[in-house]
Amino acid sequence: MNRKKLLSLLFHRTVLVALLLLIQVGMLAAMVLRFSDYFAQFYLACVGISLLAVLHIINKKGDPGYKIAWIVPILLVPVFGGLVYLLCGGNGLSKGVRRKMEGMDRRMLEVLGPDRRAEELSSMGQDAVNQSRYLEEYGRCPLCTNTWTKYFPLGDDVFQPMLEELRKAEKYIFLEYFIITPGKFWNAVLEILEEKVCQGVDVRVIYDDVGCLYTLPKDYYKELEEKGIRCRVFNRFVPVLSVRLNNRDHRKICVVDGHTAFTGGINLADEYINAVEKYGHWKDSAILLKGEGAWPMTVLFLTMWENVSGETENFDAYRPEKQSPEATQGAARWVQPYADSPLDDEPVGETVYLNLITKAKKYVYIMTPYLIVNNSLNAALCAAAKSGVDVRILTPHIPDKKTVFELTRAHYPPLLEAGVRIYEYTPGFVHSKCFAVDDLFATVGSVNLDYRSMFLHFEDGVWLCGDPTVLAVKEDFLTTQGKSQEITLKDAESRSFPRQLLRAVLRMFAPLM
């Protein structure tokens, strides 16, 4: 390694962050040693803090698995446990930031709330009406018709169509992504964004600071601002042990002129379009909305923009002046975008999934990169399979995170025992977050089947009812299943005792991962 590369590595943002965090851990340890002369008093004080933390955890709202995952280490190591929980254990932002961001829900209700249309789904059955009502109330977005949709089973498939839609922009382009990485994908997008800025188009970008910690330089937003692209960074990462690290902007939103929108699992990085290989073949998906359904996605972006920028927007100024010609082709279809926020204690992403599972009568097909289900989802999946519903789940065979992959496999046995069929995508990594149910319902979005995605992150998705795209999601699952290996109960259980022990421990601490 030459000197330039060595210096680049030593002064890389992530190395400096790790060093600062280690210094803080060292300082905490030094404090303990410094008070060794008063060990009994110090120990009792720490035990008291830990017991108070346990009482707080027990009495607060939240998932039982998350509570257990914190209570066990706190009681095992009371000297540090309570202190660490106070620093890192919550699931909210600072009070000031929380108050500021709670305005997102109010703004969405102001702009979208009056439009309640769930009853239009009565011809599709009461289950459809009830699911839509829930999303209107808690997902903050109304049911939409006059929306043309297209499902993309691979990131490779969405790459060129996204570039084509960006080139058509006349008024504005809004991008909100968890990860941006310079390369073929982002560079192609950036080139178009620069062209559009020169044409007077309002171009804005939001990216998550932790999501881009390894991929972008610290002040990358300044580079974009110099190009005329308005850019904001969500929840700037500060190398301090703090609860603020928990909440991330995991959404994937691309909006053009309020009438066209993309979302799904795809970030703006080359592995998502298989331009580079990281974990074998990358299986991801996305959905395109043209028509009414794109407007709620626009509002999702603008509410986030208001809260990260401190600016106040006139939402009416961004309403689409015209619709895409394809929009009228969707007159008999129903789509409903939705938002999930960690600030309202309402687990929208989890509830959408639970509603789909519990209302299924024939089948539930699921693609997910991580199968780290809590007790509620596990019980729902098992009950559906035991009731005769064809429940199938497709996960990666080549992992992006080995520990998380072990945890995913640790959840296989109880599901397999109940009759759930599980497949691993042998060519590589599955990053899709999709459900297809009974040829009637589907959802495509950013919500993983893990605790962080369902309870700690800002997420988005699109719920579909009676739309042809439902069948496209189903067909994609079956096609991908044909390239996958089915996992039997014998496969899942034939592991060494040390690995079984590891998985048991990982399951205990799953909500913290």
Side-chain angles (χ1 to χ4, degrees), residues 390-428:
D390 180 10
V391 182
R392 307 184 195 183
I393 304 174
L394 206 151
T395 65
H397 184 71
I398 300 176
D400 66 334
K401 306 175 185 71
K402 290 185 179 180
T403 302
V404 176
F405 188 50
E406 283 296 321
L407 184 52
T408 287
R409 285 180 161 179
H411 284 82
Y412 287 178
L415 295 170
L416 291 167
E417 288 174 354
V420 175
R421 299 175 69 183
I422 297 175
Y423 300 83
E424 289 184 357
Y425 181 60
T426 50

Side-chain angles (χ1 to χ4, degrees), residues 88-327:
C88 307
N91 65 346
L93 301 168
S94 65
K95 288 184 179 180
V97 175
R98 176 182 281 269
R99 283 195 299 269
K100 179 182 175 184
M101 299 198 73
E102 281 173 348
M104 294 173 65
D105 285 346
R106 292 192 295 272
R107 288 291 275 159
M108 289 188 67
L109 287 172
E110 289 173 10
V111 180
L112 299 172
D115 192 8
R116 301 298 178 100
R117 302 169 60 181
E119 300 302 326
E120 293 180 15
L121 286 172
S122 57
S123 63
M124 309 301 290
Q126 193 60 41
D127 286 345
V129 174
N130 291 345
Q131 290 184 60
S132 181
R133 279 180 186 159
Y134 174 82
L135 288 176
E136 285 182 339
E137 183 67 28
Y138 298 102
R140 310 299 188 223
C141 297
L143 180 69
C144 299
T145 55
N146 298 314
T147 304
W148 180 82
T149 63
K150 183 173 182 179
Y151 175 76
F152 300 94
L154 286 174
D156 317 38
D157 301 328
V158 76
F159 178 45
Q160 289 300 329
M162 182 181 287
L163 297 183
E164 291 171 10
E165 295 300 331
L166 291 173
R167 292 189 184 100
K168 297 177 186 177
E170 298 177 354
K171 190 173 181 181
Y172 59 83
I173 293 172
F174 297 155
L175 301 176
E176 181 179 347
Y177 282 88
F178 182 61
I179 296 173
I180 294 176
T181 305
K184 178 180 178 181
F185 195 175
W186 173 241
N187 293 349
V189 170
L190 184 58
E191 183 179 351
I192 296 173
L193 300 185
E194 292 182 69
E195 292 174 1
K196 289 300 173 180
V197 166
C198 294
Q199 296 170 13
V201 173
D202 180 3
V203 179
R204 308 189 197 184
V205 175
I206 300 173
Y207 65 82
D208 185 88
D209 207 31
V210 168
C212 297
L213 190 64
Y214 297 94
T215 64
L216 295 178
K218 180 181 178 182
D219 294 325
Y220 185 71
Y221 71 95
K222 293 181 180 178
E223 294 184 28
L224 296 184
E225 292 278 353
E226 289 173 359
K227 298 176 185 292
I229 298 168
R230 301 172 68 188
C231 183
R232 298 293 182 270
V233 182
F234 180 86
N235 198 4
R236 294 296 298 270
F237 180 79
V238 179
V240 175
L241 295 174
S242 168
V243 67
R244 293 185 68 250
L245 302 182
N246 277 336
N247 302 117
R248 311 312 318 172
D249 184 358
H250 195 246
R251 296 174 180 175
K252 288 89 175 168
I253 296 174
C254 171
V255 175
V256 177
D257 291 346
H259 56 61
T260 298
F262 294 86
T263 191
I266 294 167
N267 285 296
L268 303 180
D270 284 357
E271 60 267 28
Y272 294 86
I273 60 171
N274 287 292
V276 298
E277 183 175 311
K278 293 188 72 172
Y279 312 107
H281 185 264
W282 193 288
K283 169 70 181 79
D284 215 328
S285 58
I287 187 170
L288 166 62
L289 309 178
K290 287 194 173 188
E292 287 182 15
W295 172 241
M297 303 296 292
T298 311
V299 175
L300 285 185
F301 177 90
L302 286 172
T303 54
M304 181 63 80
W305 182 271
E306 280 193 337
N307 284 279
V308 295
S309 69
E311 303 168 4
T312 300
E313 300 289 345
N314 176 10
F315 282 65
D316 287 336
Y318 299 96
R319 290 187 182 275
E321 297 173 354
K322 60 181 180 180
Q323 292 290 359
S324 299
E326 298 95 334

Side-chain angles (χ1 to χ4, degrees), residues 5 21 55 97 115 149-150 278 290 362 367 393 415 434 436 438 443 452:
K5 288 185 177 180
L21 291 174
L55 290 173
V97 175
D115 192 8
T149 63
K150 183 173 182 179
K278 293 188 72 172
K290 287 194 173 188
K362 297 178 182 178
M367 284 188 283
I393 304 174
L415 295 170
C434 301
D438 292 349
T443 184
R452 290 197 163 274

